[in-house]
């Protein structure tokens, strides 16, 4: 039997201790190389693109000779307005990549010795950068579609006579949402959040390329997909896979999503559910990539991502 990828040495190409031992100078030049990799690591102005700049000797800043804009290695990126050392950002990315089921903000705050609020925003900035690779993406070929309900838990009353049948809508709290996945067999995963599976059909029709074969379970709302795609259905009350039809790839994504919810985040329903789903989607798609490459991918994504409208100055707005 061949060795599982995650057990092999090839899966481990990043050492947390090596990142932790970096001086701030080394961390800065590493991030500079990542940010301006298209220019051999030489800085150019984020505002006008001019490569000629004055470098300050007392601070790690440049001033554009073209437009006079003063910029640092993180200006105009998702880490714009940073307050931590650059090494802390590299450490945060390394820790985030090393944990297959995600890293909670509390754990990150302990690892980096920063406030919970700082870690919460930092982790969400990484999620936003990771999610960017799926913007406008579609899936094609053999695509499995399914939904996973999250949130809206109603605690049963203490006394039996006070308990209500939580299967009825009138006894639910309306907070339950569904993460929809469209997953290529042996390929890309796309996720989004919907109020119901039924309501997700129009979006699925948009993100699944025409000509694809769609695999779905027996739920009647997936019948609408038959108008546009060749569909194969599998009745889970009888069989999980009949050799051709199954949604097991979608289910295995949900298995990891659920483990992240139960084991790491404990609660991720609500306004940021889509961000957590996108994070787990990224982890799913890159699970057979070495941690060193994952680190570079996230660092690249963060450096290539514009300032986050949602997360920059989040706590200044939400006090
Ligand atoms: Zn400029």
């Amino acid at each position: 039997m061949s060795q599982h990828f995650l057990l092999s040495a090839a899966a481990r190409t990043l050492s947390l201790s090596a990142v932790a031992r970096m001086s701030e100078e080394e961390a800065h030049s590493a991030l500079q190389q990542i940010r301006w990799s298209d220019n051999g690591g030489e800085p150019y102005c984020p505002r006008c693109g001019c490569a000629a700049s004055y470098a300050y000797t007392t601070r790690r800043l440049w001033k554009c000779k073209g437009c006079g804009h003063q910029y640092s290695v993180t200006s105009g990126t998702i880490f714009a307005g940073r307050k931590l050392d650059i090494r802390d950002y590299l450490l945060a990315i390394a820790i985030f990549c090393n944990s297959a089921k995600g890293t909670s903000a509390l754990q990150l705050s302990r690892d980096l010795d920063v406030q919970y609020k700082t870690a919460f925003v930092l982790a969400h900035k990484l999620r936003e950068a990771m999610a960017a690779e799926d913007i406008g993406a579609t899936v094609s070929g053999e695509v499995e579609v399914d939904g996973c309900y999250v949130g809206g838990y109603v605690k049963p009353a203490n006394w039996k006579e006070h308990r209500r049948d939580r299967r009825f809508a009138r006894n639910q709290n309306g907070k339950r949402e569904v993460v929809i996945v469209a997953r290529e067999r042996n390929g890309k995963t796309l996720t989004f959040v919907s109020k119901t599976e039924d309501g997700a059909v129009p979006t699925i029709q948009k993100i699944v390329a025409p000509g694809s074969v769609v695999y779905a379970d027996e739920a009647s709302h997936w019948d609408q997909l038959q108008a546009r795609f060749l569909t194969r259905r599998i009745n889970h009350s009888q069989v999980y896979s009949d050799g051709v039809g199954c949604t097991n790839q979608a289910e295995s994504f949900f298995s990891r999503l659920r483990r992240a919810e139960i084991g790491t985040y404990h609660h991720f329903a609500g306004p940021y559910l889509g961000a957590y789903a996108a994070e787990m989607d990224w982890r799913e798609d890159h699970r057979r990539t070495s941690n060193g490459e994952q680190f570079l991918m996230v660092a690249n994504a963060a450096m290539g991502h514009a300032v986050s409208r949602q997360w920059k100055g989040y706590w200044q707005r939400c006090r």
Side-chain angles (χ1 to χ4, degrees):
M1 201 179 110
S2 64
Q3 191 184 30
H4 190 283
F5 171 74
L6 292 179
L7 295 173
S8 70
R12 304 183 304 269
T13 55
L14 174 76
S15 152
L16 202 58
S17 61
V19 181
R21 275 198 297 266
M22 277 181 165
S23 67
E24 183 61 6
E25 198 60 50
E26 287 166 339
H28 184 270
S29 76
L31 202 61
Q32 186 182 329
Q33 287 295 327
I34 291 168
R35 169 153 197 198
W36 288 295
S37 57
D38 54 348
N39 195 33
E42 288 304 309
Y44 57 83
C45 176
R47 188 171 288 174
C48 72
C50 175
S53 61
Y54 305 102
Y56 288 72
T57 50
T58 49
R59 300 175 65 194
R60 295 188 190 92
L61 285 178
W62 294 274
K63 186 169 180 172
C64 175
K65 286 187 181 178
C67 70
H69 178 55
Q70 208 179 59
Y71 59 94
S72 74
V73 70
T74 53
S75 296
T77 73
I78 203 131
F79 296 142
R82 73 181 172 87
K83 294 173 189 69
L84 302 178
D85 287 346
I86 286 175
R87 186 181 51 193
D88 290 339
Y89 291 93
L90 298 184
L91 268 175
I93 295 171
I95 292 166
F96 209 66
C97 290
N98 274 347
S99 48
K101 305 296 184 302
T103 310
S104 68
L106 270 177
Q107 177 165 356
L108 199 57
S109 81
R110 290 188 290 266
D111 286 346
L112 298 177
D113 187 21
V114 297
Q115 274 189 40
Y116 167 77
K117 287 168 141 186
T118 309
F120 175 81
V121 165
L122 177 50
H124 268 299
K125 284 177 178 172
L126 296 181
R127 280 181 201 111
E128 184 175 333
M130 288 156 105
E133 72 171 34
D134 277 354
I135 293 174
T138 55
V139 284
S140 57
E142 294 188 302
V143 179
E144 297 183 8
V145 167
D146 205 0
C148 169
Y149 283 88
V150 181
Y153 177 71
V154 179
K155 199 173 178 178
N158 188 20
W159 291 96
K160 184 168 178 267
E161 54 269 32
H162 298 156
R163 288 179 201 160
R164 306 205 183 284
D165 189 340
R166 292 175 290 167
R167 289 170 298 183
F168 291 116
R170 63 173 181 275
N171 294 331
Q172 293 169 357
N173 61 11
K175 290 183 183 170
R176 196 168 74 146
E177 289 183 300
V178 58
V179 174
I180 302 287
V181 70
R183 185 171 187 195
E184 289 174 0
R185 287 198 177 160
N186 304 313
K188 194 160 183 50
T189 310
L190 292 179
T191 53
F192 64 95
V193 174
S194 172
K195 200 68 199 157
T196 59
E197 279 192 349
D198 194 10
V201 170
T203 312
I204 292 172
Q205 288 172 337
K206 254 182 248 159
I207 63 173
V208 178
S212 305
V213 182
V214 173
Y215 295 83
D217 61 27
E218 71 282 13
S220 59
H221 42 256
W222 300 136
D223 293 350
Q224 301 167 70
L225 294 170
Q226 276 165 228
R228 192 172 299 208
F229 306 103
L230 176 62
T231 54
R232 299 244 164 80
R233 310 291 288 279
I234 186 85
N235 187 343
H236 283 162
S237 62
Q238 283 164 13
V239 65
Y240 293 114
S241 170
D242 60 11
V244 186
C246 75
T247 57
N248 289 353
Q249 306 275 309
E251 305 291 358
S252 83
F253 168 72
F254 290 144
S255 160
R256 293 184 183 108
L257 183 76
R258 202 60 96 184
R259 281 147 206 257
E261 183 198 17
I262 295 170
T264 302
Y265 295 120
H266 302 175
H267 176 88
F268 61 29
Y272 307 124
L273 177 58
Y276 289 100
E279 176 202 338
M280 295 315 293
D281 162 351
W282 189 94
R283 293 185 191 281
E284 188 76 30
D285 284 349
H286 303 297
R287 71 195 185 286
R288 298 293 170 92
T289 308
S290 72
N291 60 350
E293 271 177 85
Q294 287 184 358
F295 172 84
L296 283 177
M297 287 165 79
V298 176
N300 261 312
M303 288 290 99
H305 197 286
V307 178
S308 172
R309 295 173 62 107
Q310 187 178 16
W311 295 108
K312 184 169 184 280
Y314 176 80
W315 292 113
Q316 275 79 37
R317 293 191 300 273
C318 317
R319 269 190 288 197

